[in-house]
Amino acid sequence: MSKLDDIETNAKKLTESVAIFKKDEAEEEKEGRGLNFELTATQKQIRTEARKVIEETLKPVVLELDQKHQYPRDFLKQIGDLGYMGIWLPEKYGGAELGIISLVLITEEIARVCAGASAAYGATALGALPILLNGTEEQREKYLTKIASGAIASFAITESGSGSDAFAMTTKAVRDGDYYVLNGEKQFITNSGEADICVVFAKTKKNDRGFAGFIIERGTPGFNVGPNRRKMGLHCSDTRDISLSDCRVHKDNLLGGTESAGILAVLNTFPRSRIVVGAQGVGLAKGVFANAWEYAEQTRRFGKKVNEFQPIQYEFSEMECMIETAETLVYKAACFVDRGVKAAKDRNEMVRLASLAKWYCADVAFNVANKAVGICAGSGYMEENGTEKRLRDAKALQIYEGTANIQRNEIFLALVRGPKKIR
């Protein structure tokens, strides 16, 4: 065979390979699996409409809510009436079935204006997730429809002696006929004073490594909440302790109908909810970046704008790089979950992406806010500027839903369990 024949044969093979690739690419695009860094038209519309509502209803009262430690009840009711509370839930439960990515987009937009309000919004999703993922069909129909209509939910697992170490919880649930009697204390529970529905976790057997979940409605005897805790940041977020004193919960409200469903619900919920915390970080970083940009554009020092000084320009460039990377990571994690988590390898990858997103985006939020305070200088340290609030708020993102070290543990274990990554 001549050299010309070899070239023609190789060219033909290359053409065939390209045709196959284009066919596969077209099929993936059709199914939504192609490599595409753009939001869909629907997703862009969600973000645009959400931003408009948030700018009009939440932004004017942000500083007042923060200073008074006041829960954003009116705002949550407004977005509940618009269907944003259940936008990510399945249609058969009253949602719009637009996936975790829609929850991420709305959370991000709220956090751009107020991370405390985004925590209240995200905590309702946190309370809904275990019911969606591991509840019985009757529980989903009863409670998810309420959440989709605007009901507030919460998730109670943390105790004074068991934060990240959930297995060390001491809250107990003892079977008594058709009821379970719960006794114990929960700590730092977001939305607990406002929630219509609270998913509470408790051990059902002595020294049991597992635990069960219980869906408890507001007003249930023996379910008592303490005063709102005063925090460094997230002032408008409701954070209280819960006391369970002979709290009787009917067996129909045992999450998933079995005592073993509780731990499965937690393992399924946290990777998804950590993506939402990542979205809070992205939104907060974008909001505080905008604050600093406006200040640097409008303020003059030594005869020129603040943003005309090269060190300040470098700060903005570094902040932009961090925000862009964080956004991509969160969106990737959300889209991965929305494609479906079925096999063990899928769950392992979900855990890896979620922990990367939560850890990195929380750090980005804090670092960008810290830089923004520096750029705004004395003005950034003042309450009315809104920048110092975001720095205080950002610190919480590095703590709740698993500290940075917990995320590092999860990422390493995912690498050990999964196939070696090709870099």
Side-chain angles (χ1 to χ4, degrees):
M1 185 180 288
S2 67
K3 185 172 291 186
L4 180 61
D5 289 335
D6 285 342
I7 293 173
E8 289 178 347
T9 300
N10 290 334
K12 184 178 179 181
K13 287 180 179 179
L14 178 60
T15 301
E16 290 173 349
S17 297
V18 170
I20 292 171
F21 172 76
K22 286 184 175 179
K23 181 181 178 182
D24 291 343
E25 186 182 46
E27 289 177 352
E28 286 195 342
E29 276 296 323
K30 186 177 179 181
E31 296 178 14
R33 296 199 308 270
L35 186 61
N36 188 340
F37 291 99
E38 291 295 319
L39 296 174
T40 66
T42 299
Q43 290 161 355
K44 289 177 181 178
Q45 183 180 2
I46 289 169
R47 185 163 67 179
T48 300
E49 292 179 356
R51 181 172 297 186
K52 183 175 184 294
V53 171
I54 293 161
E55 291 279 339
E56 291 176 353
T57 61
L58 180 61
K59 190 172 183 178
V61 297
V62 164
L63 291 181
E64 181 182 357
L65 293 175
D66 184 69
Q67 290 164 2
K68 293 182 177 180
H69 293 247
Q70 185 175 324
Y71 191 74
R73 195 174 297 105
D74 292 341
F75 167 70
L76 292 176
K77 185 181 186 309
Q78 286 175 312
I79 64 172
D81 292 342
L82 292 170
Y84 289 163
M85 299 298 271
I87 193 170
W88 59 283
L89 290 170
E91 287 184 355
K92 64 179 179 178
Y93 306 127
E97 204 161 340
L98 293 176
I100 294 294
I101 186 64
S102 68
L103 175 61
V104 159
L105 291 172
I106 293 175
T107 300
E108 178 188 320
E109 287 303 316
I110 299 173
R112 278 182 75 253
V113 173
C114 179
S118 77
Y121 176 75
T124 288
L126 177 60
L129 277 166
I131 301 174
L132 175 65
L133 299 170
N134 290 91
T136 64
E137 188 58 29
E138 292 76 11
Q139 290 168 351
R140 292 170 184 154
E141 290 176 356
K142 181 176 181 181
Y143 294 110
L144 295 182
T145 52
K146 292 180 180 179
I147 291 170
S149 298
I152 303 297
S154 63
F155 178 101
I157 191 168
T158 300
E159 299 181 4
S160 60
S162 61
S164 298
D165 183 12
F167 290 107
M169 73 171 65
T170 59
T171 298
K172 296 288 193 298
V174 178
R175 184 71 180 263
D176 181 22
D178 287 340
Y179 289 82
Y180 284 85
V181 182
L182 276 65
N183 283 282
E185 306 283 336
K186 297 294 180 181
Q187 189 178 61
F188 308 149
I189 308 304
T190 304
N191 280 355
S192 56
E194 301 286 339
D196 303 292
I197 303 156
C198 184
V199 180
V200 178
F201 296 90
K203 288 189 174 181
T204 55
K205 298 176 183 177
K206 188 176 181 180
N207 298 324
D208 184 14
R209 284 286 292 172
F211 43 80
F214 299 89
I215 305 169
I216 303 179
E217 299 180 28
R218 176 198 286 271
T220 299
F223 181 87
N224 305 301
V225 296
N228 197 8
R229 301 290 291 255
R230 306 287 285 191
K231 306 182 294 291
M232 172 182 171
L234 304 181
H235 286 174
C236 73
S237 169
D238 180 80
T239 307
R240 303 173 190 249
D241 298 344
I242 295 174
S243 174
L244 298 153
S245 180
D246 291 334
C247 181
R248 297 177 66 81
V249 181
H250 196 273
K251 64 180 182 180
D252 290 347
N253 280 31
L254 174 66
L255 184 67
T258 67
E259 295 181 6
S260 61
I263 186 170
L264 294 175
V266 170
L267 293 175
N268 287 330
T269 293
F270 275 153
R272 293 167 171 84
S273 63
R274 283 169 177 165
I275 297 170
V276 178
V277 176
Q280 291 178 16
V282 172
L284 189 154
K286 287 182 178 181
V288 78
F289 179 98
N291 260 32
W293 183 272
E294 181 180 11
Y295 174 87
E297 177 69 22
Q298 296 178 355
T299 305
R300 300 182 70 84
R301 293 290 184 267
F302 301 100
K304 58 182 179 180
K305 294 179 181 178
V306 169
N307 64 5
E308 291 177 342
F309 291 93
Q310 192 174 62
I312 300 298
Q313 295 171 352
Y314 286 176
E315 290 284 72
F316 278 118
S317 296
E318 186 175 346
M319 291 156 72
E320 176 68 9
C321 182
M322 289 191 286
I323 292 171
E324 184 75 16
T325 308
E327 178 189 79
T328 301
L329 188 52
V330 167
Y331 290 3
K332 178 180 179 179
C335 290
F336 181 86
V337 171
D338 284 341
R339 286 203 300 268
V341 179
K342 299 175 182 177
K345 64 182 180 66
D346 295 333
R347 188 188 181 285
N348 192 63
E349 181 66 357
M350 174 180 68
V351 168
R352 187 184 74 88
L353 289 172
S355 288
L356 284 169
K358 196 278 178 185
W359 170 29
Y360 183 74
C361 296
D363 280 358
V364 164
F366 185 82
N367 291 332
V368 170
N370 194 38
K371 287 179 179 295
V373 170
I375 290 169
C376 296
S379 295
Y381 199 69
M382 300 296 114
E383 284 188 358
E384 63 269 17
N385 180 270
T387 303
E388 62 83 32
K389 171 193 181 303
R390 289 181 166 98
L391 180 58
R392 289 186 285 105
D393 290 347
K395 189 60 191 176
L397 305 185
Q398 296 179 311
I399 299 171
Y400 64 47
E401 301 249 4
T403 63
N405 284 337
I406 290 296
Q407 307 314 319
R408 291 182 178 104
N409 287 344
E410 294 283 10
I411 293 163
F412 182 78
L413 290 173
L415 291 174
V416 170
R417 289 190 298 261
K420 291 182 179 178
K421 309 295 289 186
I422 300 174
R423 296 296 185 194

